[in-house]
Amino acid sequence: MDRYENSLDKIISLAKRRGFIFQGSELYGGLNGVWDYGPIGSLLKERIKKYWYRKVVMEREDVALIDAGIIMHADVWRASGHVENFYDEMVECSQCKKRYKKDEDLGSECPECGGALTQPRRFNLMFKTHVGALEEQSSVAYLRPETAQAIFIHFKNVLNTSRLKIPFGIAQIGKSFRNEITPRNFIFRSREFEQMEMEYFVAPGEDESWYEYWVQQRLDWYLGMGVKQEYLRLRAHREDELAHYATGCTDVEYYFPFGWKELEGIAKRTDFDLRKHAASANKELSYFDEAKREKYVPYVVETSAGVERTLLTVLTSAYREEEVRGDKRVVLGFSPHVAPIQVAFLPLSKQLKDNCRKLFIDMSARFESAFDARGSIGRRYRRQDEIGTPLCVTYDFDTLQDNAVTIRNRDTMGQIRVALDKLANYIHEELKKF
Ligand code: GAP
């Protein structure tokens, strides 16, 4: 499959140049595995999360949203199995002492210096902390390594306070933390990241069909954001790859510049989590099914996506270079569903700034808009191309006479004159065509 040359390096440099992504704690030399999002990157992140929220929660009648704390009681992680099982195998170079996560890409020699690697040791990935003034065993808590557990903890609260009936889902978007041994591939594997997770509760025995349903839904979600179909595939886990709680799992994989990698996991978690928490907390976490006249512990189908991996997917899928009249043009061909800015408003001259700003404020109620009055118009178009803005509206001196503006299309670079009173409708229709 074709891939543009050195694409990851180019994307890292674009991401820095245009204010998408910076190294965490950069002023002090950086903190490995932590990335910060700049003005355009944080908008992109917000739009990806909103698109998930829209498709998984708001456009459905069977999924509710929660927002739980990041620091969670140690007992949650004992019951879920993370204290005991959430380990990676770590190996160390006997010469340079560099540590690596033992995975299939790693041979028996150190990739840095060729020294022999030690036998693997287990390394728990959770960040431990203490709550309160005393650092003792009883004050230990963990930063959550997945958002899913809070959903199980609040299963009954949501059930009792919403009108949901099985089958239904509880969704959450939020930060997760893993002390990864080797964070790498830019933002792909980091120590602090965000997850978009949904646990779908179903009657026992009905999880297989829901699992198949959600695998398809999730694949469609990426296609809906304009990710290239040929760069997406589904991969079912082998028995020996399954997490300790899963009886089946399918990954949505994306063809990153460093190869096919997991983007999202859809898993059958059975009744594992609810049963574990019910036993550990000595509380009942079951459901009375009025239609069936029976009580049971629901089975769960989970969809678990990473915000940053999605962002890297959207960035690499959208990136392209073109030749325009002998010059190189870099374009991010974002879908309007996730483009950080959908329409930029550009006054052609300083004297037109106030009029153009009024138009921008008016339109920003309907579209993700930006106002940019600085630099030559050519440079402004170039900047908008590089941050993936589908449409640019130019306000010029003729506008004062004819009450019309020029709209430029990012992909065709074609320009068309549109009357101000038809502008909102025109933009709305035009955005649908990307
Ligand atoms: N609740 C299930 C769960 O957390 P996972 O496969 O460990 O499953 C789900 O993680 C998703 O979270 C991954 O597919 C990925 O998108 C994201 N993710 C996991 N670890 C990550 C990391 N270190 N950096 C960035 N994203 C990560």
Side-chain angles (χ1 to χ4, degrees), residues 52 66 68-70 72 76-77 80 82 143-155 158 169-178 193-201 245 265 267 269 272-274 277 300-305:
W52 188 87
I66 64 161
I70 284 166
M72 291 176 74
V76 171
W77 306 105
S80 68
H82 283 78
L143 303 193
R144 62 184 183 197
E146 62 170 19
T147 59
Q149 291 307 320
I151 294 177
F152 298 121
I153 300 301
H154 291 298
F155 167 72
V158 174
I170 305 177
Q172 178 168 215
I173 301 180
K175 292 265 184 180
S176 291
F177 300 82
R178 295 182 192 179
F193 55 97
E194 278 187 271
Q195 290 184 308
M196 304 177 279
E197 297 200 298
M198 197 267 313
E199 310 298 321
Y200 201 73
F201 300 91
Y245 49 74
R269 285 183 88 124
F272 177 89
D273 302 272
L274 288 180
H277 288 303
V300 171
V301 174
E302 170 182 82
T303 71
S304 177

Side-chain angles (χ1 to χ4, degrees), residues 3-15 184-188 256-258 312 315-316 319:
R3 261 284 185 212
Y4 30 87
E5 254 177 84
N6 308 322
S7 54
L8 191 60
D9 290 344
K10 286 179 181 176
I11 279 157
I12 294 173
S13 122
L14 173 70
R184 62 178 167 164
N185 290 331
F186 194 30
I187 56 173
F188 177 82
F256 286 97
F258 37 87
L312 188 57
L315 263 181
T316 51
Y319 184 93

Side-chain angles (χ1 to χ4, degrees), residues 213-429:
Y213 167 85
W214 280 109
V215 167
Q216 196 54 49
Q217 286 286 310
R218 299 306 304 142
L219 180 65
D220 290 348
W221 185 77
Y222 294 98
L223 295 170
M225 271 187 308
V227 177
K228 291 196 184 100
Q229 186 149 23
E230 65 269 31
Y231 287 170
L232 287 169
R233 73 178 185 195
L234 297 172
R235 191 183 70 81
H237 279 209
R238 298 184 310 268
E239 194 85 1
D240 64 333
E241 280 179 278
L242 290 174
H244 62 273
Y245 49 74
T247 55
C249 183
T250 295
D251 286 345
V252 179
E253 290 193 336
Y254 175 71
Y255 187 60
F256 286 97
F258 37 87
W260 286 101
K261 298 275 178 211
E262 172 188 340
L263 183 51
E264 161 155 7
I266 300 100
K268 284 187 283 182
R269 285 183 88 124
T270 67
D271 55 0
F272 177 89
D273 302 272
L274 288 180
R275 275 198 193 280
K276 285 279 181 189
H277 288 303
S280 171
N282 203 16
K283 300 264 164 57
E284 184 157 333
L285 293 178
S286 59
Y287 175 81
F288 182 72
D289 194 319
E290 279 163 28
K292 293 189 167 142
R293 308 296 305 161
E294 62 171 323
K295 193 161 91 173
Y296 53 74
V297 178
Y299 269 41
V300 171
V301 174
E302 170 182 82
T303 71
S304 177
V307 175
E308 291 79 2
R309 282 192 195 176
T310 306
L311 192 144
L312 188 57
T313 295
V314 165
L315 263 181
T316 51
S317 175
Y319 184 93
R320 64 175 193 263
E321 292 173 3
E322 294 171 357
E323 221 114 321
V324 180
R325 290 184 290 278
D327 277 341
K328 189 175 88 175
R329 179 171 92 118
V330 171
V331 184
L332 288 177
F334 289 143
S335 147
H337 291 308
V338 290
I341 294 159
Q342 295 174 312
V343 200
F345 291 84
L346 318 173
L348 203 61
S349 143
K350 275 192 193 128
Q351 289 112 287
L352 301 166
K353 255 171 133 174
D354 289 346
N355 285 358
C356 186
R357 189 180 285 117
K358 279 196 201 112
L359 184 62
F360 151 66
I361 290 168
D362 192 25
M363 290 293 153
S364 60
R366 283 196 64 178
F367 310 104
E368 306 295 334
S369 308
F371 178 75
D372 183 5
R374 299 183 62 170
S376 74
I377 194 73
R379 287 176 78 107
R380 279 184 269 169
Y381 282 154
R382 204 185 150 98
R383 175 183 145 77
Q384 297 301 332
D385 287 344
E386 289 201 2
I387 61 171
T389 307
L391 298 172
C392 287
V393 169
T394 309
Y395 197 107
D396 55 28
F397 285 103
D398 287 346
T399 310
L400 302 175
Q401 312 300 324
D402 66 0
N403 278 322
V405 283
T406 300
I407 302 195
R408 172 188 180 267
N409 179 302
R410 174 195 68 204
D411 293 349
T412 64
M413 290 182 286
Q415 302 193 6
I416 180 167
R417 202 81 185 150
V418 176
L420 285 175
D421 60 356
K422 301 213 165 51
L423 185 63
N425 271 347
Y426 182 85
I427 294 173
H428 181 75
E429 290 307 314

